[in-house]
Amino acid sequence: MSWELDDEHREFRDVCRGFVDKVVRPAVDAAEAAGTFPAELWKPLGDAGMLGLVTPPEFGGSDGDALAVAIFAEEIARASGGIAVTALVSAYMAGTHLVRYGSPAQQDRWLAAIASGEAVAAIAVTEPDTGSDVARIRSTARPADDGWVLDGRKMFITNAGIADVLVVAARTGEPGRRGVTLFEVPAGTPGLSFSRPLPKMGWHSSDTREVVLDGVRVPSDAVVGAVDRGFYQVMEGFQLERIALAAMGLGHAQECLDLALGYTREREAFGAPLTHLQTIRHRLALMEIELDAARLVTHQAAARLDSGHPEAGRSVARAKYLAAVAANRIVDDAVQLFGGAGFVEESPVARHYRDARILRIGGGTDEIQLEILTRGMAG
């Protein structure tokens, strides 16, 4: 049994790293200052195949696996969390619902466009008073004429203001898990509106807004998947989403570890580089150990998800928890090692510090992952 990437995935990692260094990194500073995703990145991302990793080949994708998504997520997050999450939400958190459950017409309309970067997708589930508890969403969809009318509000929706299509969860039936349905809602649909972008601690270059559904009429064929099965579809979608978020944590952590190694080798204190101090070397070693452990668990979770392993759900929860917590600890250590230089806003480690914090919340909080892992303990 090997704990290393196989040749195909290792080569893909190198391609991702080269692409991010050449195309994404030069756009980061301007995107952070502007507070928006650089639209000029969509076409290069699509042309490089980074947005179609799980899309069928007939729609321009590569029909790849969760491990490839994890590799891409790690590499692009090394440059910017805001840019990373924008692309990942479109292709692997929203778009995958259309890959798995979309009708032939929905797939023809959106899959090739999303994979090429010509269209952007968003997933609208979270509400102002309902986050991780998806079964309690209050937005409604009622039958009307030859379709549905959607009403309600969604909150903290990534890509909302730049999306060409939103996959919206609304209640169509009884309270609880069995009464939720997903809908395809194109941008510009009457009754669909958005707040201004929400100011955030991190992910400055991602678009995050409140979504308002005020009598939004969609046709009967706008249902994504099956009526009243949306909760279960969202839960399945969470698996790849959590892999991607865990891998983003790996990217933030690896970038900060590399920056800290470089800085402590060059920065002198008491007449010698910081790495001559045992406490500094030990801190760096612990950061590396924690990162390697999180990466192994994340890659195992991705492999189990791809193979349909019976413990895949628990592995994904374990990876999401461990990688998010490890990333926050490692970026915090990096700021500490940089000292005052790490507290300056322009410092890359300061940006990663801000961006990593949301990983313990988005896609299911730490507490949700622990609840998954402890089910059945109480008897």
Side-chain angles (χ1 to χ4, degrees), residues 317-331:
R318 190 178 298 117
K320 169 65 166 61
Y321 176 85
L322 179 60
V325 170
N328 275 269
R329 219 160 14 221
I330 291 166
V331 299

PDB file of all heavy atoms in Angstrom, residues 317-331:
ATOM      1  N   ALA A 317     -15.905  13.595   7.077  1.00  0.00           N
ATOM      2  CA  ALA A 317     -16.087  14.434   8.268  1.00  0.00           C
ATOM      3  C   ALA A 317     -14.779  14.579   9.037  1.00  0.00           C
ATOM      4  O   ALA A 317     -14.444  15.666   9.520  1.00  0.00           O
ATOM      5  CB  ALA A 317     -17.170  13.830   9.166  1.00  0.00           C
ATOM      6  N   ARG A 318     -14.052  13.484   9.149  1.00  0.00           N
ATOM      7  CA  ARG A 318     -12.768  13.517   9.861  1.00  0.00           C
ATOM      8  C   ARG A 318     -11.786  14.439   9.149  1.00  0.00           C
ATOM      9  O   ARG A 318     -11.085  15.241   9.786  1.00  0.00           O
ATOM     10  CB  ARG A 318     -12.215  12.090   9.948  1.00  0.00           C
ATOM     11  CG  ARG A 318     -11.008  11.928  10.862  1.00  0.00           C
ATOM     12  CD  ARG A 318     -10.566  10.472  10.903  1.00  0.00           C
ATOM     13  NE  ARG A 318     -11.607   9.603  11.448  1.00  0.00           N
ATOM     14  CZ  ARG A 318     -12.212   8.627  10.778  1.00  0.00           C
ATOM     15  NH1 ARG A 318     -11.891   8.393   9.515  1.00  0.00           N
ATOM     16  NH2 ARG A 318     -13.149   7.895  11.354  1.00  0.00           N
ATOM     17  N   ALA A 319     -11.742  14.359   7.828  1.00  0.00           N
ATOM     18  CA  ALA A 319     -10.828  15.201   7.061  1.00  0.00           C
ATOM     19  C   ALA A 319     -11.213  16.667   7.158  1.00  0.00           C
ATOM     20  O   ALA A 319     -10.348  17.537   7.344  1.00  0.00           O
ATOM     21  CB  ALA A 319     -10.812  14.748   5.600  1.00  0.00           C
ATOM     22  N   LYS A 320     -12.501  16.946   7.029  1.00  0.00           N
ATOM     23  CA  LYS A 320     -12.959  18.334   7.101  1.00  0.00           C
ATOM     24  C   LYS A 320     -12.607  18.945   8.454  1.00  0.00           C
ATOM     25  O   LYS A 320     -12.115  20.088   8.542  1.00  0.00           O
ATOM     26  CB  LYS A 320     -14.477  18.381   6.868  1.00  0.00           C
ATOM     27  CG  LYS A 320     -15.162  19.717   7.158  1.00  0.00           C
ATOM     28  CD  LYS A 320     -14.723  20.819   6.239  1.00  0.00           C
ATOM     29  CE  LYS A 320     -15.656  22.031   6.313  1.00  0.00           C
ATOM     30  NZ  LYS A 320     -15.741  22.656   7.634  1.00  0.00           N
ATOM     31  N   TYR A 321     -12.833  18.207   9.520  1.00  0.00           N
ATOM     32  CA  TYR A 321     -12.511  18.711  10.853  1.00  0.00           C
ATOM     33  C   TYR A 321     -11.000  18.889  11.027  1.00  0.00           C
ATOM     34  O   TYR A 321     -10.525  19.969  11.391  1.00  0.00           O
ATOM     35  CB  TYR A 321     -13.037  17.760  11.927  1.00  0.00           C
ATOM     36  CG  TYR A 321     -12.638  18.197  13.318  1.00  0.00           C
ATOM     37  CD1 TYR A 321     -13.401  19.126  14.013  1.00  0.00           C
ATOM     38  CD2 TYR A 321     -11.476  17.712  13.908  1.00  0.00           C
ATOM     39  CE1 TYR A 321     -13.008  19.559  15.274  1.00  0.00           C
ATOM     40  CE2 TYR A 321     -11.083  18.142  15.172  1.00  0.00           C
ATOM     41  CZ  TYR A 321     -11.852  19.067  15.848  1.00  0.00           C
ATOM     42  OH  TYR A 321     -11.462  19.501  17.081  1.00  0.00           O
ATOM     43  N   LEU A 322     -10.244  17.831  10.744  1.00  0.00           N
ATOM     44  CA  LEU A 322      -8.811  17.856  11.011  1.00  0.00           C
ATOM     45  C   LEU A 322      -8.096  18.890  10.170  1.00  0.00           C
ATOM     46  O   LEU A 322      -7.265  19.661  10.677  1.00  0.00           O
ATOM     47  CB  LEU A 322      -8.206  16.472  10.765  1.00  0.00           C
ATOM     48  CG  LEU A 322      -6.691  16.345  10.975  1.00  0.00           C
ATOM     49  CD1 LEU A 322      -6.317  16.696  12.409  1.00  0.00           C
ATOM     50  CD2 LEU A 322      -6.216  14.942  10.632  1.00  0.00           C
ATOM     51  N   ALA A 323      -8.407  18.954   8.876  1.00  0.00           N
ATOM     52  CA  ALA A 323      -7.697  19.875   7.998  1.00  0.00           C
ATOM     53  C   ALA A 323      -8.025  21.330   8.330  1.00  0.00           C
ATOM     54  O   ALA A 323      -7.144  22.194   8.291  1.00  0.00           O
ATOM     55  CB  ALA A 323      -8.037  19.570   6.541  1.00  0.00           C
ATOM     56  N   ALA A 324      -9.289  21.603   8.667  1.00  0.00           N
ATOM     57  CA  ALA A 324      -9.659  22.980   9.005  1.00  0.00           C
ATOM     58  C   ALA A 324      -8.988  23.440  10.293  1.00  0.00           C
ATOM     59  O   ALA A 324      -8.465  24.557  10.372  1.00  0.00           O
ATOM     60  CB  ALA A 324     -11.174  23.090   9.122  1.00  0.00           C
ATOM     61  N   VAL A 325      -8.996  22.585  11.301  1.00  0.00           N
ATOM     62  CA  VAL A 325      -8.367  22.937  12.573  1.00  0.00           C
ATOM     63  C   VAL A 325      -6.857  23.049  12.411  1.00  0.00           C
ATOM     64  O   VAL A 325      -6.220  23.989  12.917  1.00  0.00           O
ATOM     65  CB  VAL A 325      -8.735  21.901  13.655  1.00  0.00           C
ATOM     66  CG1 VAL A 325      -7.911  22.111  14.917  1.00  0.00           C
ATOM     67  CG2 VAL A 325     -10.233  21.991  13.986  1.00  0.00           C
ATOM     68  N   ALA A 326      -6.267  22.111  11.692  1.00  0.00           N
ATOM     69  CA  ALA A 326      -4.814  22.146  11.468  1.00  0.00           C
ATOM     70  C   ALA A 326      -4.413  23.397  10.701  1.00  0.00           C
ATOM     71  O   ALA A 326      -3.415  24.054  11.034  1.00  0.00           O
ATOM     72  CB  ALA A 326      -4.373  20.899  10.711  1.00  0.00           C
ATOM     73  N   ALA A 327      -5.176  23.744   9.685  1.00  0.00           N
ATOM     74  CA  ALA A 327      -4.859  24.933   8.900  1.00  0.00           C
ATOM     75  C   ALA A 327      -4.872  26.177   9.772  1.00  0.00           C
ATOM     76  O   ALA A 327      -3.973  27.025   9.680  1.00  0.00           O
ATOM     77  CB  ALA A 327      -5.846  25.076   7.749  1.00  0.00           C
ATOM     78  N   ASN A 328      -5.877  26.303  10.620  1.00  0.00           N
ATOM     79  CA  ASN A 328      -5.945  27.478  11.479  1.00  0.00           C
ATOM     80  C   ASN A 328      -4.778  27.533  12.454  1.00  0.00           C
ATOM     81  O   ASN A 328      -4.237  28.606  12.740  1.00  0.00           O
ATOM     82  CB  ASN A 328      -7.284  27.489  12.220  1.00  0.00           C
ATOM     83  CG  ASN A 328      -8.392  28.118  11.414  1.00  0.00           C
ATOM     84  OD1 ASN A 328      -8.630  29.319  11.502  1.00  0.00           O
ATOM     85  ND2 ASN A 328      -9.061  27.322  10.589  1.00  0.00           N
ATOM     86  N   ARG A 329      -4.391  26.376  12.960  1.00  0.00           N
ATOM     87  CA  ARG A 329      -3.273  26.353  13.898  1.00  0.00           C
ATOM     88  C   ARG A 329      -1.965  26.706  13.173  1.00  0.00           C
ATOM     89  O   ARG A 329      -1.123  27.453  13.697  1.00  0.00           O
ATOM     90  CB  ARG A 329      -3.176  24.978  14.552  1.00  0.00           C
ATOM     91  CG  ARG A 329      -2.814  25.072  16.008  1.00  0.00           C
ATOM     92  CD  ARG A 329      -3.135  23.901  16.854  1.00  0.00           C
ATOM     93  NE  ARG A 329      -3.484  22.660  16.245  1.00  0.00           N
ATOM     94  CZ  ARG A 329      -4.460  21.861  16.676  1.00  0.00           C
ATOM     95  NH1 ARG A 329      -5.205  22.241  17.700  1.00  0.00           N
ATOM     96  NH2 ARG A 329      -4.710  20.706  16.100  1.00  0.00           N
ATOM     97  N   ILE A 330      -1.784  26.164  11.978  1.00  0.00           N
ATOM     98  CA  ILE A 330      -0.536  26.374  11.247  1.00  0.00           C
ATOM     99  C   ILE A 330      -0.409  27.815  10.773  1.00  0.00           C
ATOM    100  O   ILE A 330       0.677  28.416  10.880  1.00  0.00           O
ATOM    101  CB  ILE A 330      -0.443  25.378  10.080  1.00  0.00           C
ATOM    102  CG1 ILE A 330      -0.248  23.955  10.627  1.00  0.00           C
ATOM    103  CG2 ILE A 330       0.697  25.740   9.132  1.00  0.00           C
ATOM    104  CD1 ILE A 330      -0.481  22.852   9.621  1.00  0.00           C
ATOM    105  N   VAL A 331      -1.486  28.403  10.263  1.00  0.00           N
ATOM    106  CA  VAL A 331      -1.373  29.798   9.824  1.00  0.00           C
ATOM    107  C   VAL A 331      -1.178  30.720  11.017  1.00  0.00           C
ATOM    108  O   VAL A 331      -0.476  31.738  10.919  1.00  0.00           O
ATOM    109  CB  VAL A 331      -2.583  30.230   8.973  1.00  0.00           C
ATOM    110  CG1 VAL A 331      -2.698  29.388   7.716  1.00  0.00           C
ATOM    111  CG2 VAL A 331      -3.881  30.203   9.750  1.00  0.00           C
TER     112      VAL A 331
END
